[in-house]
């Protein structure tokens, strides 16, 4: 009876050990998407990913060395069980359909990571009005923003899809056609449109860094001036 | 997962495509106006008063055909080049001496092209528009 309890006790402790191995490994893996480690814990799919990896490691232990948990080379066995579970998740693949793309094979881990990246991007893009107001404060004309920022962000962001790049420009350009309304509110609106695509962090850091250039006249102003003068003259 | 197309090299094309699409109504309006004016100018050339009317007619017909369904930066660029060449051809063969209604039509064509240049925000098209306007001013208003 005592031996049974002793084995049970070992099994729990060994399971906790491999669980920690799986979770630490997957947490370190997720650090690649964020420079701020605490942000990972704010993503629901981040939790699922980390706990899921830990559970898979525990399952691997239960399927392999569960009746041999109090033996020699225990640490080696725990390491093998834990990492083989993680490895399995990273080699098993499934076929997924993507809009406009042919069926493509993804490993289970890629599918989970895709979910996490999407959720992370959405979280990062959540719009906070006081913050947006503060970011867009230097601008008095929405034209400066719609003429400069979409192109700048397309240049900065390699992960923005081709479709998003076009839609962002389209939305900003269409916004320019609205003649009515307060200029400051229009600037905040344009900030919100752009933040949806690039996130508040990038919007804030870019505007903070470049506001002196963005609020001053554009270098091609002379060409624009010539065109405007000719348009008046030729109309 | 982001599209494989979202590479750095492709961003400017996406920006231009988005801009042209957003302003397509205005751009189409000006290019159809240019088409109408080119047809009127063709009628004017037929009436006479030009030393090289055959050459001018062939040229203007090709521009009118090319101008149908213009909707990309390449086609706007081509339109600008064709119009600029056509104006040069008139000036080269006839100098200032062309009927006044024709100069009015040319002025209006340039006006609509300048609008296209301004809306498209493509610097080479803006440059072509300004060059055409400069040429017009130097020949017919000096």
């Amino acid at each position: 009876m005592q031996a049974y309890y002793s084995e049970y006790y070992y099994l729990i402790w060994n399971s906790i050990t491999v669980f920690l191995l799986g979770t630490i490994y997957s947490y370190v893996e997720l650090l690649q998407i964020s420079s701020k480690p605490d942000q990972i814990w704010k993503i629901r799919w981040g939790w699922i990913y980390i706990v899921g990896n830990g559970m898979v490691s525990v399952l691997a232990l239960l399927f392999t060395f569960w009746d041999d948990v109090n033996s020699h080379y225990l640490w080696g066995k725990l390491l093998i069980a834990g990492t083989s579970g993680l490895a399995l998740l990273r080699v098993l693949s499934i076929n997924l359909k993507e809009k406009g793309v042919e069926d493509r094979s993804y490993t289970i881990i890629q599918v989970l990571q895709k979910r996490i990246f999407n959720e992370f991007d959405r979280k990062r893009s959540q719009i906070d009005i006081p913050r947006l107001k503060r970011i867009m404060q230097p601008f008095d004309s929405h034209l400066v923003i719609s003429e400069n920022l979409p192109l700048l962000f397309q240049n900065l962001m390699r992960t923005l899809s081709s479709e998003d790049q076009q839609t962002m420009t389209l939305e900003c350009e269409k916004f320019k056609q609205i003649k009515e309304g307060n200029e400051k509110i229009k600037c905040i609106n344009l900030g919100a449109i752009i933040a949806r695509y690039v996130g508040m962090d990038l919007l804030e850091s870019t505007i903070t860094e470049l506001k002196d250039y963005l609020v001053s006249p554009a270098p091609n102003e002379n060409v624009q001036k010539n065109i405007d003068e000719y348009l008046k003259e030729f109309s | 997962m982001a599209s494989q197309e979202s590479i750095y090299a492709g961003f400017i094309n996406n920006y231009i495509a988005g801009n042209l699409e957003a302003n397509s109504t205005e751009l189409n309006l000006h290019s159809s106006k240019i088409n109408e004016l080119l047809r009127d100018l063709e009628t004017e050339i037929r009436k006479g008063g030009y030393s090289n009317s055959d050459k001018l007619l062939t040229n203007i017909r090709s521009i009118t055909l090319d101008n149908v369904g213009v909707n990309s930066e390449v086609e706007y660029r081509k339109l600008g080049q064709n119009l600029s060449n056509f104006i040069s051809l008139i000036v080269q063969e006839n100098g200032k001496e062309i009927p006044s209604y024709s100069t009015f039509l040319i002025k209006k064509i340039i006006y609509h092209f300048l609008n296209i240049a301004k809306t498209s925000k493509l610097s080479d098209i803006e440059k072509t528009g300004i060059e055409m306007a400069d040429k017009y001013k130097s020949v017919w208003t000096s």
Side-chain angles (χ1 to χ4, degrees), chain B residues 68-116:
Chain B
V68 175
V70 170
N71 56 11
S72 76
E73 53 162 320
V74 179
E75 285 162 330
Y76 285 120
R77 209 167 272 140
K78 193 176 166 193
L79 172 66
Q81 214 49 59
N82 284 342
L83 289 175
S84 179
N85 291 342
F86 179 66
I87 293 169
S88 300
L89 192 66
I90 293 181
V91 176
Q92 191 187 318
E93 304 272 342
N94 300 277
K96 294 168 79 165
E97 308 307 320
I98 61 167
S100 62
Y101 185 59
S102 296
T103 56
F104 169 78
L105 291 172
I106 292 169
K107 189 179 175 185
K108 286 292 150 200
I109 289 170
I110 295 172
Y111 167 75
H112 287 291
F113 189 77
L114 284 169
N115 272 299
I116 288 176

Side-chain angles (χ1 to χ4, degrees), chain A residues 155 158 160 165 173 230, chain B residues 6 8 11 14 118 121 134:
Chain A
N155 203 346
R158 288 186 53 146
L160 205 60
Q165 289 177 17
E173 283 299 321
Y230 275 140
Chain B
S6 69
Y8 179 80
F11 78 90
N14 296 321
K118 189 183 174 183
K121 288 194 287 192
D134 283 340

Side-chain angles (χ1 to χ4, degrees), chain A residues 58-69:
Chain A
V58 173
L59 277 177
L61 173 75
L62 295 179
F63 282 120
T64 51
F65 304 116
W66 73 276
D67 58 348
D68 193 21
V69 289

